[in-house]
Amino acid sequence: MSVGATGEWELAAGVWQETDLLLWKPPTCWFSVNAFFAPDGDGRRLRNWYVNFEHPTCRTESGFDTLDLTVDLVVAPDLTRWEWKDEDEYAHVRRLGIVSDTEHQAVDAARGEVLMMLTERSGVFAQAERWASWQWDPAWPTPCLPLAVTTARREGAEERSGRSQ
């Protein structure tokens, strides 16, 4: 995790495995809502909802960019229970200065927004049953990113590196 404090990292190819994923990510939100589907007999079932707190999405030459802010919320398929995940990691990235005070305030506001959506069954959760039955169309092409980009730098990392939060 300390390597993230520099704001630079190497990009590597990867293949998503074990689950199907449906991701709902409005570009200006400080979170995404993920529906994880696991194999179940001849079909699949919604394993859980997963709220990932992250930077708003930015369009870049290589696709879309965001930054995972480590804290997450795992939600039962029927939306009746949820549990915070990685609070200790979030505290650690705060101490390292990877998550600034301004970002922390945005995450706190996003946490409140997500909890309200869950309790009121609004936003993406208003259509939870419909999303739970979502199916990938096998005719859709597999998305891929350009190969030219191999390194990434977090915007504002130069200013951040000398700053304590």
Side-chain angles (χ1 to χ4, degrees):
M1 218 178 299
S2 299
V3 74
T6 66
E8 263 185 278
W9 52 90
E10 293 292 318
L11 301 179
V15 176
W16 191 264
Q17 300 177 31
E18 298 178 19
T19 61
D20 289 341
L21 170 67
L22 174 64
L23 183 137
W24 182 78
K25 174 66 171 153
T28 60
C29 285
W30 283 78
F31 62 89
S32 62
V33 177
N34 304 266
F36 286 101
F37 298 91
D40 188 24
D42 291 335
R44 64 188 184 95
R45 63 176 171 76
L46 177 63
R47 186 185 73 188
N48 64 278
W49 298 92
Y50 192 94
V51 181
N52 191 59
F53 292 87
E54 59 197 49
H55 275 192
T57 304
C58 296
R59 185 75 165 121
T60 67
E61 289 180 17
S62 58
F64 297 94
D65 193 16
T66 188
L67 178 69
D68 186 345
L69 298 172
T70 69
V71 69
D72 306 295
L73 187 65
V74 181
V75 182
D78 63 2
L79 308 177
T80 59
R81 298 174 322 282
W82 50 83
E83 180 180 344
W84 291 103
K85 182 176 180 268
D86 300 329
E87 293 272 22
D88 55 336
E89 290 180 22
Y90 184 68
H92 186 65
V93 296
R94 290 275 294 135
R95 283 189 301 273
L96 291 172
I98 296 171
V99 175
S100 70
D101 290 340
T102 302
E103 291 166 320
H104 175 65
Q105 291 169 356
V107 169
D108 272 353
R111 285 184 190 221
E113 183 179 350
V114 167
L115 292 175
M116 183 179 69
M117 286 177 9
L118 276 167
T119 57
E120 295 178 357
R121 301 297 190 266
S122 62
V124 69
F125 298 116
Q127 299 292 323
E129 286 183 30
R130 185 174 139 229
W131 289 118
S133 63
W134 174 84
Q135 294 286 325
W136 175 267
D137 185 338
W140 292 340
T142 301
C144 60
L145 294 174
L147 298 176
V149 178
T150 59
T151 61
R153 180 154 184 86
R154 180 177 177 196
E155 194 173 307
E158 305 82 30
E159 303 84 36
R160 175 176 308 290
S161 61
R163 200 170 78 187
S164 65
Q165 300 296 316

